[in-house]
Amino acid sequence: MGFRLTPQDTSFYDLFAESAKYLVAGAEQLTAVLGTDPEERKAVVKRMYEIEHEADEATHAIIRRVNQSFITPFDREDIHDLAVAIDDCVDHMDAAADLIGLYRIDDMLPRVSKQVEVLCRMAELTAEAMPRLRSMKDLSTYWIEINRLENQADKAYRRLLAELFNGPDPDAIMVMKHKEVIDELEAAADAFEKVAHKVESIAVKES
Amino acid sequence: MGFRLTPQDTSFYDLFAESAKYLVAGAEQLTAVLGTDPEERKAVVKRMYEIEHEADEATHAIIRRVNQSFITPFDREDIHDLAVAIDDCVDHMDAAADLIGLYRIDDMLPRVSKQVEVLCRMAELTAEAMPRLRSMKDLSTYWIEINRLENQADKAYRRLLAELFNGPDPDAIMVMKHKEVIDELEAAADAFEKVAHKVESIAVKES
Amino acid sequence: MGFRLTPQDTSFYDLFAESAKYLVAGAEQLTAVLGTDPEERKAVVKRMYEIEHEADEATHAIIRRVNQSFITPFDREDIHDLAVAIDDCVDHMDAAADLIGLYRIDDMLPRVSKQVEVLCRMAELTAEAMPRLRSMKDLSTYWIEINRLENQADKAYRRLLAELFNGPDPDAIMVMKHKEVIDELEAAADAFEKVAHKVESIAVKES
């Protein structure tokens, strides 16, 4: 088949690829927040806030485009939901960075870096998968791997909590602060899984 | 075009407007809970519980109507989801009021009133937007403003937690009680945003 | 009407009935975790983990089948979402059992058994309702009862928290551990309600 009679607005794929770049940028700042001393942390948190803001703009650009397009490559509602789901991932990573700054936590548990490493991997996988929405091919490897990572993150999360609570003479307020950050990182992992579920659900419908 | 051959059941709009009134009533009771001394609080919590119950009835009335209607003004599934989303807002506001009573909290942090003020504004905006579902016009101002308020609420929420945790010699149990209430109010703000997302998604689909 | 020209893949109903069996099995293990002494608990938690894994497999079997089927008994997307929603219930029950083991909690509050009893009832009701997806009949009794149980669970949950926090000289770390478990059980109840909402929404659409 040489051509389509109804030209589809293919730029949606570009917009999703663009939006997913903020996932990778956000995960990088999150890694940076853990690595910097409290003095320099403020600048990293500020950069993360800017990324969150730019990601918001990218999300609204997709939704505006949906409103203006006569024909869309897949369901308008699914485009909307996927854009919102990607934005949620950035929101949770921004929230985690903000909390680390606000609570003036200087000694994050080493296992927290593992949580952030998983988020970095999830961000890369998601950004790599977005261009494949065009062909709807080779997407199952993406969502299966995200599900696997999320299950692993869930288990690691509960072990992290046990380590936090079962320590010798734990300070309750300190435990609570750490738990807030750890919970926000876990929520980010859940949000990445929701993106994968949404992509899976779109692929199932369009196949 | 002078008339429709297929009369739509327009009363759905009235049912949603009715349902959204409980949002405003709930937000008012929440304000009242913070303002009353513990003695009179019981009566306010009881009134909130009645509002929650009436809101449940309103939600079920919408779902029953969907089941009985041959033609609906927009997707049956979307009507269902929107009704459930509105109900969730009332549920979280009821839960917050209930917790303030149960925990016998006498000295809520002043910033908590700010959280409740944002919820009141969100409730008003949502109630005002519902009648505009009929024309699907002028709804973007509503959801943009809700998103803005929710982003603001998110930031305020994290600063509130920092204030709670960073205080001089905080009592862990007291911190936890306050946090439960603050979390429930934050969940209410999230629930209002979900209503706005649903309205946005319906408008995108129907446009 | 004697036959269909387009044979529907009726085995979806069998797959959902199969998937829902893990809900009952999971709820049983959860009851067992509370009943066993810490010594034997490890074996129960391990059995729960296996159930969670088998439930995952059952979910993926449904999704694979959706991908391979030309005709499905209801919307492909709804089949996908319902499968994921059922899986979420098992995940939360597994998480609760895992936490009880990890935190080495020996003296769970008696009211926690009440939470688990409600989950057992929800699991049974859901498993009983799944075969009725075939006819889409008599489902409203199911979702109304689940909603009622969930409302009841919500109230009981908040009273449980008040009991936990208002006790004489509570140990903050112990309170936090118990709260984690109680929250996970409450999340399981919410997940059961989401399954019921999904079934309700499918029935509304297909009716």
Side-chain angles (χ1 to χ4, degrees):
Chain A
M1 206 177 71
F3 62 93
R4 286 170 182 278
L5 282 179
T6 51
Q8 293 192 322
D9 193 342
T10 51
S11 70
F12 275 109
Y13 303 114
D14 301 326
L15 289 173
F16 276 119
E18 170 78 15
S19 186
K21 277 182 194 162
Y22 294 109
L23 297 176
V24 177
E28 280 169 4
Q29 293 307 307
L30 206 47
T31 309
V33 167
L34 291 181
T36 52
D37 55 275
E39 205 68 8
E40 296 166 42
R41 197 175 277 162
K42 230 170 181 167
V44 182
V45 172
K46 193 164 167 284
R47 177 72 197 114
M48 176 62 121
Y49 176 69
E50 287 160 9
I51 289 169
E52 191 272 330
H53 196 71
E54 288 163 34
D56 263 357
E57 291 297 314
T59 308
H60 287 136
I62 295 176
I63 293 169
R64 270 197 307 275
R65 179 69 58 94
V66 170
N67 281 309
Q68 294 159 354
S69 302
F70 189 60
I71 296 167
T72 55
F74 43 91
D75 256 22
R76 315 174 90 78
E77 198 188 5
D78 286 329
I79 291 175
H80 173 271
D81 291 354
L82 181 56
V84 168
I86 291 173
D87 198 42
D88 278 349
C89 301
V90 180
D91 285 357
H92 285 295
M93 291 192 290
D94 171 48
D98 197 20
L99 285 173
I100 293 173
L102 282 171
Y103 290 160
R104 303 174 213 141
I105 298 178
D106 301 341
D107 53 341
M108 225 45 230
L109 292 171
R111 277 204 207 215
V112 171
S113 308
K114 295 273 172 205
Q115 272 192 304
V116 174
E117 275 170 33
V118 171
L119 292 178
C120 287
R121 188 72 196 118
M122 285 176 144
E124 283 162 16
L125 284 167
T126 309
E128 283 164 24
M130 286 302 115
R132 301 207 295 276
L133 284 174
R134 202 184 288 265
S135 64
M136 289 288 169
K137 284 202 170 30
D138 306 318
L139 284 165
S140 66
T141 52
Y142 150 67
W143 70 62
I144 288 171
E145 181 61 8
I146 293 282
N147 283 345
R148 200 190 60 81
L149 286 169
E150 207 279 330
N151 275 343
Q152 197 185 305
D154 264 6
K155 293 247 157 224
Y157 163 74
R158 294 199 296 267
R159 264 125 209 92
L160 189 45
L161 291 187
E163 191 185 326
L164 196 62
F165 285 134
N166 292 338
D169 192 26
D171 174 66
I173 296 291
M174 193 44 73
V175 165
M176 275 189 263
K177 287 179 178 182
H178 278 82
K179 188 170 176 303
E180 280 300 299
V181 175
I182 293 165
D183 281 356
E184 204 62 69
L185 294 172
E186 170 65 11
D190 283 347
F192 275 107
E193 194 186 30
K194 267 188 200 134
V195 171
H197 277 161
K198 194 69 218 170
V199 169
E200 188 180 16
S201 151
I202 291 169
V204 162
K205 208 155 74 171
E206 302 288 326
S207 65
Chain B
M1 207 178 71
F3 62 93
R4 287 171 181 278
L5 282 178
T6 51
Q8 294 192 317
D9 193 343
T10 53
S11 69
F12 274 109
Y13 304 114
D14 301 327
L15 290 173
F16 276 119
E18 171 76 14
S19 187
K21 279 182 194 162
Y22 295 109
L23 297 176
V24 177
E28 281 169 3
Q29 293 307 308
L30 205 47
T31 310
V33 167
L34 290 181
T36 52
D37 54 276
E39 205 68 9
E40 297 167 43
R41 199 175 276 162
K42 229 169 181 168
V44 182
V45 173
K46 192 162 167 285
R47 176 73 195 113
M48 176 62 119
Y49 177 68
E50 287 160 9
I51 289 168
E52 192 272 331
H53 196 70
E54 288 163 33
D56 263 357
E57 291 297 314
T59 308
H60 286 137
I62 294 175
I63 293 169
R64 270 196 307 276
R65 179 68 59 95
V66 170
N67 280 309
Q68 294 159 355
S69 300
F70 189 61
I71 296 166
T72 54
F74 43 92
D75 257 20
R76 315 174 89 79
E77 199 188 4
D78 286 329
I79 291 174
H80 173 271
D81 291 354
L82 180 57
V84 168
I86 292 172
D87 199 41
D88 278 349
C89 300
V90 180
D91 285 356
H92 285 295
M93 292 193 289
D94 171 47
D98 198 21
L99 286 173
I100 294 173
L102 282 171
Y103 290 160
R104 302 175 214 137
I105 298 178
D106 300 342
D107 54 341
M108 224 47 228
L109 290 172
R111 277 206 208 210
V112 172
S113 309
K114 296 274 172 204
Q115 270 191 307
V116 174
E117 275 170 33
V118 171
L119 292 178
C120 286
R121 187 73 196 114
M122 284 175 144
E124 283 163 16
L125 284 167
T126 310
E128 282 164 24
M130 286 302 115
R132 302 207 294 277
L133 284 174
R134 199 183 289 264
S135 65
M136 288 287 168
K137 283 200 171 33
D138 306 318
L139 284 166
S140 67
T141 52
Y142 149 67
W143 70 62
I144 288 172
E145 181 61 8
I146 292 283
N147 283 345
R148 200 189 61 80
L149 286 170
E150 208 277 330
N151 274 342
Q152 196 184 305
D154 264 5
K155 292 246 155 223
Y157 164 74
R158 295 200 295 268
R159 265 125 208 93
L160 188 45
L161 290 188
E163 190 184 325
L164 196 61
F165 285 134
N166 291 339
D169 192 26
D171 175 65
I173 295 292
M174 192 44 72
V175 164
M176 276 189 262
K177 287 181 177 181
H178 278 83
K179 188 169 176 304
E180 280 302 297
V181 174
I182 292 165
D183 281 356
E184 203 62 72
L185 294 172
E186 171 64 10
D190 283 347
F192 274 107
E193 194 185 30
K194 268 189 200 131
V195 172
H197 277 161
K198 195 68 219 170
V199 169
E200 189 181 15
S201 151
I202 291 169
V204 162
K205 209 157 74 173
E206 301 289 326
S207 65
Chain C
M1 208 176 70
F3 62 93
R4 287 170 182 276
L5 281 178
T6 53
Q8 295 192 320
D9 193 341
T10 51
S11 70
F12 275 110
Y13 304 113
D14 300 327
L15 289 172
F16 276 119
E18 171 76 14
S19 186
K21 277 181 195 163
Y22 294 108
L23 297 176
V24 178
E28 280 169 4
Q29 292 307 307
L30 205 48
T31 310
V33 168
L34 290 181
T36 50
D37 56 275
E39 206 68 10
E40 296 166 43
R41 198 175 276 162
K42 229 169 181 171
V44 182
V45 172
K46 193 161 167 284
R47 176 73 197 116
M48 177 61 119
Y49 176 69
E50 287 160 9
I51 289 170
E52 192 272 332
H53 196 71
E54 288 162 34
D56 263 357
E57 291 298 314
T59 308
H60 286 136
I62 294 176
I63 294 169
R64 270 197 306 275
R65 178 70 58 97
V66 169
N67 281 309
Q68 294 159 354
S69 301
F70 189 62
I71 295 167
T72 55
F74 43 93
D75 257 21
R76 313 174 91 77
E77 197 187 6
D78 286 330
I79 291 174
H80 173 271
D81 292 354
L82 181 57
V84 169
I86 292 172
D87 199 40
D88 277 350
C89 301
V90 180
D91 284 357
H92 285 295
M93 291 193 291
D94 171 47
D98 197 20
L99 285 173
I100 293 172
L102 282 170
Y103 290 160
R104 303 173 213 140
I105 298 178
D106 300 341
D107 53 340
M108 224 46 228
L109 291 172
R111 278 206 206 212
V112 172
S113 309
K114 295 274 170 204
Q115 271 191 304
V116 175
E117 276 171 32
V118 171
L119 293 177
C120 287
R121 186 74 196 114
M122 285 175 144
E124 284 163 16
L125 283 167
T126 310
E128 283 165 23
M130 286 302 115
R132 302 208 293 277
L133 284 174
R134 200 183 289 264
S135 64
M136 289 287 170
K137 284 203 170 32
D138 306 318
L139 283 166
S140 67
T141 51
Y142 150 66
W143 68 61
I144 288 171
E145 181 60 9
I146 293 283
N147 283 345
R148 199 189 62 79
L149 285 170
E150 207 279 331
N151 275 342
Q152 198 185 305
D154 264 6
K155 294 247 156 223
Y157 164 73
R158 294 199 295 269
R159 262 125 210 93
L160 188 45
L161 290 187
E163 191 185 327
L164 196 60
F165 285 134
N166 292 338
D169 193 25
D171 174 65
I173 296 291
M174 193 43 71
V175 165
M176 275 189 262
K177 287 180 177 182
H178 278 83
K179 188 171 175 304
E180 280 300 298
V181 175
I182 292 165
D183 281 357
E184 204 61 71
L185 294 172
E186 171 65 10
D190 283 347
F192 274 107
E193 194 185 29
K194 267 187 201 132
V195 172
H197 277 161
K198 194 70 217 168
V199 170
E200 188 181 16
S201 152
I202 291 169
V204 161
K205 209 156 74 171
E206 302 289 326
S207 64

